[in-house]
Amino acid sequence: MPNKACVRAHTNIALIKYWGKRDETYFLPMNSSLSLTLDKLYTDTMVVFDGTFTEDAFYLNGEKQSEKETKKISKFLDLFREEKKTGLRARVESINHVPTAAGLASSASAFAALAGAANLALGLDLDPQRLSTFARRGSGSATRSIFGGFVEWDMGTCSDDSLAVPVDDAGWDIGMVIVAVNQKAKEVSSRIGMKRTVETSPFYPAWVEAAKKDIVDIKAAIAAKDFVRLGEITEANGMKMHGTMLGAEPPLSYWEPDSIVAIKTVQALRKQGIPCYVTMDAGPNVKVLCRLSQAETIKAALSEHFAADKLIITEPGQGIRELTE
Ligand code: 2P0
């Protein structure tokens, strides 16, 4: 048994959003979602299992993490230990590769990298789709980071078939410009925010119905390599998700004034004939889906309002892979 492995996983941005669980124990979503894996933002995680360890230890960016954070990792590693029928404890070392000042650290790349490393270190030999069902138990969005390009998280019917499906490698002039509006810790975590939305927003059933249609339509747009349609569906789906949050009690909004500044800039660019579309997640940052070949032009327009270190251009990223020394 190798007992040690290091894996890189990239983060992903949902174009059709996951916002709400139908099962909180197994992280089963209310709707299927679809994302683009990003090249620039990723996590490298090394896991070593060792019979001499008496407890799990977790280091992030070189710093030993608290008992609370380590517990989350232990609970996640328990899934792999159960599968392997071992009680071995582990040391986990993660490095987040996120451009400084971006505030974009992501549980998607974190749990996908940890899943990949645990799988290899324990010699489990789980195939990528099965592995995505494990990643899902750490964080829903991590399901999709197992693969590169456009990836669907099929909501499935149970824990075994709620998994990631690679859709397209996105190698047709696709890019993203990230506007890092700020890096403050969010007041309401996505986990709490989505739960509140499911339980209290009268718009929620309509969101689920709309998302069902959007996923079918976006896959058709990807198959046809129809960038404008892809962007239109992406932007509309994100707005619908934020709409359903506004209907929650108490209402939920992650937007900040600078988010609107970025959105208006994108709208102005579209009027000038540059196809580009916004999407936002559980935070104020704005992600602009665009043609990779036009990303510099879009960045230049945004740089009239935002400092250069707040604007990140990225191309589509690949799925998880082992890093060898
Ligand atoms: C997504 N987000 O599809 C959506 C859109 C944020 C907005 O997945 O509770 O950290 O760990 O499953 O995956 C963020 O939620 O939540 C998220 P958990 P997660 O990317």
Side-chain angles (χ1 to χ4, degrees), residues 8-12 37-43 106 108-109 112 144-147 317-321:
R8 175 169 296 175
H10 294 258
T11 194
N12 70 78
T37 302
L38 301 182
D39 179 59
K40 276 276 171 65
L41 313 175
Y42 55 92
T43 303
S106 147
S109 56
R144 301 181 306 239
S145 272
I146 297 295
F147 294 110
Q318 49 182 312
I320 59 165
R321 70 187 153 101

Side-chain angles (χ1 to χ4, degrees), residues 6 43-48 53 55-74 77 90-97 110 113-114:
C6 190
T43 303
D44 289 340
T45 295
M46 190 276 295
V47 181
V48 53
F53 296 162
E55 58 184 13
D56 293 326
F58 173 39
Y59 293 79
L60 179 59
N61 298 333
E63 276 182 39
K64 190 167 197 302
Q65 298 297 293
S66 68
E67 204 175 310
K68 191 174 160 221
E69 290 305 314
T70 308
K71 260 205 180 127
K72 283 189 212 162
I73 299 299
S74 288
L77 289 177
R91 178 185 169 96
V92 175
E93 291 178 26
S94 278
I95 307 279
N96 269 333
H97 294 266
L114 183 55

Side-chain angles (χ1 to χ4, degrees), residues 14 17-19 21 27 107 138-141 144 190-191 194 241 281-282:
K17 306 294 189 186
Y18 146 57
W19 195 249
K21 297 180 182 69
F27 286 63
S107 60
S139 191
S141 50
R144 301 181 306 239
S190 6
R191 200 161 292 184
M194 63 175 80
M241 178 187 72
D281 295 290

Side-chain angles (χ1 to χ4, degrees), residues 67-93:
E67 204 175 310
K68 191 174 160 221
E69 290 305 314
T70 308
K71 260 205 180 127
K72 283 189 212 162
I73 299 299
S74 288
K75 218 177 133 207
F76 184 67
L77 289 177
D78 284 345
L79 302 172
F80 295 84
R81 285 190 276 247
E82 275 163 30
E83 184 76 13
K84 185 70 183 178
K85 303 202 176 8
T86 176
L88 286 177
R89 301 287 108 185
R91 178 185 169 96
V92 175
E93 291 178 26

Side-chain angles (χ1 to χ4, degrees), residues 223-242:
K225 296 194 172 24
D226 183 340
F227 179 75
V228 169
R229 191 73 196 115
L230 171 73
E232 287 171 350
I233 298 166
T234 296
E235 187 165 295
N237 182 270
M239 294 295 169
K240 282 180 260 191
M241 178 187 72
H242 289 279

